[in-house]
Structure formats: structure tokens, C-alpha cells
Amino acid sequence: MLNFLLEPFTLGFMRRALAGCLALSIAAPPLGVFLVLRRMSLMSDVLQHGVLPGIAIGAIFAGLSVWAMGIGGVVAGLAVAVVAGWLARRTGGREDSQLAGMYLLALAAGVALISSQHSLDLTHLLFGNVLAVDDTALFGMAGVATITLPVLALIWRPLVLESLDPGFMAATSGKGGLWHLIFLVLVVLCVVSGFVALGTLMSVGLMMLPAIAARHWSDSLAGQVRVSVLLACLSSVGGLILSYNVDIPAGPAIVLTAGGLWLLSLVAGPRASLWRQAMPHA
């Protein structure tokens, strides 16, 4: 059992992957909690597809450079979010329908661009590759966490107010749109920073699944943030151990572990779980 748990981390690339995933586990789940609070859970899915064309263009022009792909992904993700919001305001349509159209186009364009380059491995970009977490990728993931946490702390109060009562924020000239934009930038940064180890299709799993599970363990916003970070860290460690021993990609392994913790929380958590509903006086 000790070999099963510890042997993966005797290898340098697994330790780098663990360090990067733990950095992402600290920074991303608090953003996921706010996405759930703001009823924007599917926005993360839109952004993870929207960054793919930017990552593909960065890879075409600069090879498998983490910085080039990362910058391209950030630009593409922000473009998808901003353009969809602008189209919704100009046409009077619902923003979710514009987001659906934008992310489908972005996903198709990204897959087409990557497939046209035989030197690029589509599977690794979509599902991640733990072997690709070199020092550059690790510093990128740690750097995003270093930026995200202080910025989130600075905008915490106005973001909470804008999430709970945007009408009051607008009436008091609270610049709700500015806090929303800063928040979206942080979400895009976390989605892009995790694509090396988790892939563009899986990086959002470490953000959202612990955040969704956290509501079954705490009824306060701060408590949900703490629980979500703990669950994400457990998912990172458990997923990498599963990936190494079962020989499956790290991204799906981590997301499956996070999904297992969510199902456990849904069934047996102390708040709003199936067990609590079946035995309300327990």
C-alpha cells in the first residue's frame, strides 16, 4: 500500500505535476465557488473550449512553448467571453445562447487548427500530459496562483455584493461590470494554466467539481471556499496516484477522483445531501 501511494512521487516529473496541480487546487476552486454562487457554472465549460483556438495558434507559431500557448489561450478565452456579452447586449438575445454559439465555433476551430498540424498531438492538448509539466509549466501554474489569490482577496467584498445583489451594486455606482471582468480574467488564467497537465477539456474539472461538492459541507461562503480547496488538493494527489498506477492520462484521473468526492458529498454530506433528506432528524 505504501508503494502504491508513494512510488509515483519518487519520480521528478510526478513531483512537478503534483506541485503544479496543488497550486491550481488552491487558486481555482474559490473561483468555482463564485461561479456556482453567480449561477455561471457552465461559463467555465464555455471558457475551457474557447481557449483552444488560442492555444492552437500559439503552438503553430511557437511550437510547444507553454508561454506562447498560454498567452494565446488567455486572449482567445477573453475574446469569447467579451464578444458573447457584446452580441447579447447589441441583439437583445440571451447571453447563454451567444456563449453556446461562440464556444462551439471556438472548439471546432481549435480542433481544425490542431489537426492540420501533424506535429501537434491533439490528445495531449485535449486531455493533458503529465510528462509535459516541466519547470516552465510549473512556474506558470504557480505564478497564476500567486496572482489569483491576492487579486481575489482584493475584490472579495465587491464581488460578493455584485454576486448577491447586482441591482444594488449598479444603483450605488459600484462598477459591477469591472469586478465581473476582473473575475472572468482570473477564471481564464486558471483554465489556461492547467491545460498542460489536465488538458483543455479537463482543466475546469478541478475548478468546478470541488466547488459543487463544497455546498454539501458548509453553509457559508468562506467555509465552502476552504472545503473546495481541501477537496481539490485530495483530488490532485489521488488522481496522480491513480494515473500512475492504472496508466491513464492525468487529467481524466484527477477529474474522476474529484467526481468521486462530489458523489460522496452528494450522498453523505452533512448539508443538503441525499442522506440528510432521507433522515432529516439525524
Side-chain angles (χ1 to χ4, degrees):
M1 180 60 69
L2 286 177
N3 287 336
F4 181 84
L5 296 175
L6 300 179
E7 184 180 359
F9 305 115
T10 61
L11 303 174
F13 69 89
M14 289 296 292
R15 290 197 297 271
R16 284 195 297 270
L18 176 62
C21 289
L22 288 178
L24 191 64
S25 298
I26 294 172
L31 300 177
V33 171
F34 274 101
L35 286 171
V36 173
L37 178 66
R38 296 164 69 87
R39 300 174 185 265
M40 295 172 59
S41 299
L42 291 180
M43 170 66 85
S44 58
D45 188 62
V46 171
L47 293 178
Q48 78 171 359
H49 292 87
V51 303
L52 190 58
I55 291 174
I57 292 173
I60 290 172
F61 284 99
L64 296 178
S65 168
V66 173
W67 292 109
M69 292 189 292
I71 292 172
V74 170
V75 173
L78 291 177
V80 167
V82 172
V83 171
W86 179 80
L87 288 174
R89 289 191 296 270
R90 295 290 294 179
T91 63
R94 290 177 59 88
E95 187 172 3
D96 58 348
S97 62
Q98 307 297 337
L99 285 170
M102 289 294 297
Y103 102 79
L104 288 171
L105 286 175
L107 177 61
V111 172
L113 286 171
I114 296 171
S115 300
S116 65
Q117 303 294 313
H118 299 294
S119 59
L120 298 179
D121 190 339
L122 178 62
T123 303
H124 286 170
L125 288 181
L126 292 179
F127 301 109
N129 179 16
V130 70
L131 296 175
V133 182
D134 54 10
D135 291 342
T136 302
L138 175 58
F139 290 143
M141 298 168 81
V144 167
T146 304
I147 293 172
T148 299
L149 293 176
V151 173
L152 184 60
L154 288 174
I155 67 172
W156 179 276
R157 287 176 179 270
L159 187 61
V160 170
L161 181 58
E162 204 269 334
S163 300
L164 297 176
D165 196 346
F168 176 79
M169 175 67 80
T172 56
S173 300
K175 299 180 180 179
L178 174 62
W179 310 121
H180 179 68
L181 180 60
I182 295 174
F183 174 70
L184 285 182
V185 171
L186 296 180
V187 173
V188 172
L189 284 174
C190 284
V191 170
V192 171
S193 70
F195 84 91
V196 174
L198 306 180
T200 56
L201 295 186
M202 296 289 167
S203 60
V204 76
L206 201 55
M207 177 186 296
M208 294 308 305
L209 284 171
I212 298 170
R215 65 181 293 269
H216 298 294
W217 296 95
S218 177
D219 57 356
S220 69
L221 183 61
Q224 290 179 17
V225 167
R226 289 191 290 269
V227 172
S228 68
V229 169
L230 175 61
L231 292 176
C233 291
L234 291 175
S235 301
S236 296
V237 176
L240 288 174
I241 293 173
L242 180 65
S243 172
Y244 179 83
N245 288 284
V246 185
D247 194 21
I248 59 176
I254 292 174
V255 174
L256 283 173
T257 305
L261 292 174
W262 166 63
L263 290 175
L264 177 63
S265 304
L266 179 65
V267 172
R271 284 195 67 256
S273 64
L274 297 178
W275 173 71
R276 291 294 298 182
Q277 300 223 0
M279 302 181 65
H281 301 295

